[in-house]
Amino acid sequence: LVQNNNSAVVMDVGCGTGILSAILLHRHKNSSAILTDISPLAVDCASDNLTRLGLMDRVRGIHLTDQLLADAEADLIVCNPPWIPGKVANQSVECGNWLEKAIYDDVNSTMLFGFLRGVSRHMRINHSAKTGDRQSESWLIISDLAERLQLRSREELLQTIDDGGLEITEVRKAVPTVAQRKRVEHVKRRRKEVIFPKVEAARQAEVTYLFRLRRQR
């Protein structure tokens, strides 16, 4: 989509450090971005990163919210949500435990499923006399770690995509190389981290997916 629409508007939901927006803005020189995140630290971090990279002049706003912006539409909407359904150890905002919030969705996968159920309303339809109407799309970037730990099923994810009025146009996956796994293991040993066998086995087999989504025809 963005390859064919260099002036696209990108919406980055749960932007974190802003890395996805930075990559897309860098690759597509006339595009602009809207970013959201629930964490004030993430909002500040994304703003700082995009400023350092000289990209802030193409950012329409970075918003502190856990919701899709009510009136916003975009040509490409990307989301890399918390991967694991579970409870954050300390729910207090004062504790500043935003890193855990970036890893753990609640037990009902509220952010993930909320995004999938609501995103189609924000996907712009581009009208062109030459090419006809062209739909925008959404990219969901997510690990299968929750599935491997039996915290959420693939069927539940696919059903929610369908319930949201979406269809999958392409699935891509990334599997860590042996060298990458060895580097992670080295860091864990150096930090003397506690190893839980079931979690470690799931991490060793983990695959990260990119689901390209569009409105159902």
Side-chain angles (χ1 to χ4, degrees):
L1 170 77
V2 180
Q3 290 176 347
N4 298 323
N5 183 8
N6 200 38
S7 59
V9 176
V10 175
M11 188 187 304
D12 186 352
V13 180
C15 64
T17 62
I19 182 63
L20 295 179
S21 290
I23 292 171
L24 291 167
L25 291 173
H26 177 73
R27 290 183 177 178
H28 307 283
K29 303 302 182 182
N30 295 323
S31 60
S32 59
I34 305 166
L35 295 82
T36 72
D37 203 284
I38 190 175
S39 164
L41 296 181
V43 168
D44 289 345
C45 181
S47 177
D48 184 61
N49 286 336
L50 291 166
T51 298
R52 289 171 182 266
L53 292 169
L55 298 170
M56 272 301 289
D57 60 330
R58 290 159 55 202
V59 174
R60 298 187 175 202
I62 305 180
H63 304 272
L64 184 63
T65 177
D66 62 349
Q67 303 292 327
L68 286 157
L69 298 178
D71 299 323
E73 290 186 337
D75 302 288
L76 174 63
I77 305 175
V78 297
C79 182
N80 179 16
W83 290 359
I84 303 176
K87 186 177 180 180
V88 175
N90 192 334
Q91 295 287 344
S92 171
V93 173
E94 289 75 19
C95 77
N97 203 354
W98 296 109
L99 180 58
E100 285 193 7
K101 291 178 181 292
I103 298 170
Y104 296 99
D105 208 342
D106 64 26
V107 293
N108 297 313
S109 298
T110 298
M111 181 191 175
L112 169 62
F113 291 161
F115 171 78
L116 292 173
R117 290 174 179 134
V119 69
S120 66
R121 296 191 294 272
H122 301 271
M123 297 165 68
R124 177 183 293 169
I125 297 178
N126 298 291
H127 302 284
S128 169
K130 293 183 179 180
T131 62
D133 291 347
R134 184 176 66 245
Q135 285 196 42
S136 62
E137 61 181 83
S138 295
W139 294 355
L140 174 66
I141 302 166
I142 192 165
S143 156
D144 67 353
L145 185 60
E147 297 168 17
R148 295 183 182 278
L149 293 173
Q150 298 182 330
L151 299 173
R152 183 178 59 237
S153 69
R154 176 60 59 92
E155 290 72 21
E156 190 176 6
L157 176 64
L158 296 178
Q159 184 61 55
T160 307
I161 290 173
D162 185 68
D163 291 345
L166 302 167
E167 62 184 14
I168 300 170
T169 61
E170 183 182 7
V171 179
R172 299 185 185 185
K173 62 182 181 180
V175 180
T177 65
V178 173
Q180 289 171 333
R181 294 189 193 279
K182 286 183 177 179
R183 284 197 294 270
V184 171
E185 290 304 310
H186 174 72
V187 171
K188 287 181 177 179
R189 287 195 298 268
R190 188 176 63 188
R191 293 178 178 175
K192 298 181 180 179
E193 293 184 7
V194 177
I195 303 298
F196 297 96
K198 183 178 179 180
V199 175
E200 189 61 23
R203 289 303 303 268
Q204 288 293 327
E206 181 182 14
V207 177
T208 300
Y209 289 88
L210 165 64
F211 293 91
R212 294 181 62 184
L213 308 169
R214 69 182 180 191
R215 286 193 188 94
Q216 293 174 357
R217 295 184 181 276

